[in-house]
Amino acid sequence: MAVEPELGASVFTRLNTEWTWVCAQDRNAQQVRSWLLEAGVRCAAEAPCSLDALLGLLQERSVRDGHRFSDVWLGGLLQHATGNGDGAQLAARVVVQAMLPAAVRMTKRSVRANERPDEVGQVVVAALYQAVRSYPAARRPEQVARYLRLEMWHHVSRDLKREFAPSGTELDERLAAELTADCDPAFQAEELWLERAAAEAGFDEGLEGARREMVELLVWALGRKVLSRSGAAAIADHYREGAPGDRAAARAVGMSPAAFRQKRCRAVAQLRAAAGEWVAAA
């Protein structure tokens, strides 16, 4: 379904035009229908032939039946949205179109003084694509739309800080709450807590995609005393974007590179041993 952005934002206009082209290809509707049936969405068998009408039906049912229904069809598509093939691109594009109203709302709430809505919209859409293409569908099969909005917000908040906010200016918690206004209060509190906990632990950078999953795991491991703070830092530094490498990291803490690598290996082994408990707690 096409989305009316009410922003004069050409990025959303272009997406709607692209969506019309995607829907014009009958094979796309057939492919999406097969994925939905494979995921257990039985109503797809008798759904309209048009891809746009099919998405509209899914969204209407989601409003009526709630996240238990949307989790099934969104999760089924997200299972196919990774990788580089045409199928992955189609699955991701359908999910992006379904989440476009949330992206429009996030753009409206994110525009501040002296910022062009279309430029902010491009940041939001890029964040949405990244969230869709990196979503851990197997690990997070519930509240899928909610977690997609959350991941989108993490990308947006990071990129707005870097590209638009004045030097040294942080997006405050009030704006963070506005950006996640589509989520319930408990959800907002959980995510703000994660950012604070990660910052206190010293690995608050790179809260996106696989890196964000790593941060969440490390915060959990620290809270359960699975890892020491230095062990968690050794792992976080290794996966941090733009990490300096073992030699520089070892020098910063007064260790040899070999000893530093051994420390990280021990921490990874401790995490592995606690993996079952982590999955159960997720």
Side-chain angles (χ1 to χ4, degrees):
M1 298 177 69
V3 174
E4 176 53 56
E6 298 178 354
L7 287 170
S10 62
V11 62
F12 295 108
T13 302
R14 289 195 300 271
L15 282 172
N16 283 330
T17 300
E18 179 190 78
W19 178 244
T20 301
W21 178 82
V22 172
C23 292
Q25 302 177 68
D26 291 340
R27 67 178 182 275
N28 288 339
Q30 295 169 5
Q31 179 65 80
V32 171
R33 192 185 312 276
S34 70
W35 287 333
L36 293 172
L37 291 172
E38 176 186 291
V41 184
R42 300 305 171 201
C43 67
E46 300 176 0
C49 295
S50 161
L51 180 55
D52 191 47
L54 174 58
L55 179 58
L57 174 65
L58 294 171
Q59 291 177 310
E60 289 172 10
R61 282 282 307 271
S62 297
V63 170
R64 189 181 72 202
D65 299 339
H67 76 85
R68 286 180 178 80
F69 177 74
S70 63
D71 286 346
V72 176
W73 69 266
L74 281 172
L77 293 176
L78 287 165
Q79 293 280 4
H80 296 276
T82 57
N84 299 313
D86 291 342
Q89 293 177 25
L90 174 60
R93 186 62 184 85
V94 176
V95 177
V96 165
Q97 193 68 25
M99 297 297 297
L100 218 51
V104 170
R105 291 192 295 271
M106 188 171 291
T107 298
K108 291 178 180 178
R109 296 187 181 106
S110 302
V111 175
R112 290 163 291 168
N114 302 318
E115 293 174 0
R116 293 178 54 194
D118 186 48
E119 291 180 343
V120 176
Q122 290 177 37
V123 172
V124 173
V125 169
L128 174 55
Y129 264 104
Q130 193 168 355
V132 169
R133 295 302 295 269
S134 63
Y135 188 81
R139 182 155 175 266
R140 279 189 170 163
E142 297 183 354
Q143 303 280 350
V144 174
R146 191 169 98 170
Y147 277 111
L148 281 172
R149 287 196 299 268
L150 166 66
E151 289 297 330
M152 181 166 55
W153 170 69
H154 277 300
H155 299 311
V156 168
S157 62
R158 178 204 60 191
D159 291 342
L160 288 181
K161 288 176 188 177
R162 183 175 61 206
E163 297 185 27
F164 294 106
S167 179
T169 299
E170 297 289 332
L171 292 177
D172 58 21
E173 290 192 8
R174 177 194 59 78
L175 180 56
E178 289 178 3
L179 291 175
T180 51
D182 295 323
C183 305
D184 59 51
F187 188 57
Q188 295 175 20
E190 173 191 344
E191 300 315 318
L192 292 174
W193 169 85
L194 179 59
E195 283 213 345
R196 284 195 292 267
E200 289 171 5
F203 40 81
D204 55 322
E205 297 179 14
L207 289 175
E208 78 275 359
R211 286 189 179 86
R212 186 184 182 280
E213 291 290 311
M214 177 62 70
V215 169
E216 189 175 339
L217 171 58
L218 292 176
V219 167
W220 172 85
L222 281 172
R224 294 298 183 91
K225 302 190 184 304
V226 171
L227 293 178
S228 66
R229 188 174 293 268
S230 62
I235 296 175
D237 286 341
H238 183 68
Y239 288 97
R240 191 189 304 276
E241 187 173 344
D246 287 349
R247 188 174 297 277
R251 186 165 52 247
V253 295
M255 299 175 68
S256 71
F260 186 80
R261 282 192 293 271
Q262 285 184 338
K263 183 181 187 65
R264 187 175 66 242
C265 287
R266 285 195 297 270
V268 169
Q270 290 170 318
L271 270 184
R272 253 193 219 108
E277 186 181 351
W278 158 247
V279 171

